[in-house]
Amino acid sequence: MGDNVAHIHKDLVERCKGGDTKAQFELYRLYSTAMFNICTRMMNTTSDAEDVLQESFISAFRNLHKYEEKSSFGAWLKRIVVNKCITLLNKQKQLDFVALNGIPSEAEEEPEEGSISPEMVHHAIKALPTGCRTIFTLYSLEGYSHQEIASILNVSVSTSKSQHNRAKKLLRVSLLKKKHHEIRS
C-alpha cells in the first residue's frame, strides 16, 4: 500500500507542476490536517497556525519545481511548515528560552499515566514558553534530531538538549498540578 500511495502522490505532484489546480486541491486535502497539527503545536494562536499553513502551501506550490524525490512529498512539505513557523516566531520575537532555576523541584515527580488525558497533555504543551515548546515539538513529536534543531533555530546542540529537558520538567510540573487539582475537585 505504501508504494501505491507514494505513486499516487508522485502523480499528483507531477500534475501540480503542470499547473493542475485540481491536483493542488487534492494534495492540500491529503496533507492539510497533518500540517495544521504541526502548526498548532508550534504557534501561539490558532490564527497564526492557519496563516502559517496557508503560507506553507503557497510556498510549496510555488517551489514545487525544487522538490526532488529524495524524500516523500510529506517530509518536504513538513520542512517548509516548520521553517515558516520558526520564521514567524522569530519575527514575533517569541522564541524565548527558560532557565532551569525557574522550575520547581516537584518536576522530579512523575504523574500517574491513567490520570492524564490527551487534552491535558495538549494544554500543558501549549502552555510551555515558546522556545521550549518549539524544541519539544520538533524533537519529541516531529522526530528532528538535536543537531537538526540547532541548525534550524541557530542555537547550539546543548541549548536544544537543555531546552528539551526543561520542557519535559515543565510538563511534569503542569501535569502534576492538573492531576492534584482534579483530585481535590
Side-chain angles (χ1 to χ4, degrees), residues 9 11 13 16 36 44-45 48 50 53 62 65 71 91 97 110 124 136 141 156 158 180:
H9 293 193
D11 179 56
V13 169
C16 286
F36 184 68
N44 291 321
T45 67
D48 282 346
E50 290 167 348
L53 179 69
R62 277 191 189 138
H65 62 281
S71 63
K91 189 184 292 183
F97 296 106
E110 289 290 330
F136 180 82
L141 305 176
S156 68
S158 63
H180 290 305

Side-chain angles (χ1 to χ4, degrees), residues 91-147:
K91 189 184 292 183
Q92 295 173 341
K93 297 189 183 333
Q94 293 188 11
L95 272 177
D96 51 342
F97 296 106
V98 175
L100 187 57
N101 59 6
I103 301 172
S105 60
E106 61 202 31
E108 303 308 317
E109 246 184 275
E110 289 290 330
E112 295 171 33
E113 285 205 22
S115 65
I116 306 293
S117 71
E119 291 80 22
M120 291 168 71
V121 173
H122 174 74
H123 290 297
I125 291 170
K126 287 300 285 180
L128 288 171
T130 309
C132 282
R133 184 180 70 236
T134 300
I135 289 173
F136 180 82
T137 298
L138 291 174
Y139 184 81
S140 295
L141 305 176
E142 301 304 331
Y144 283 77
S145 70
H146 286 296
Q147 185 67 45

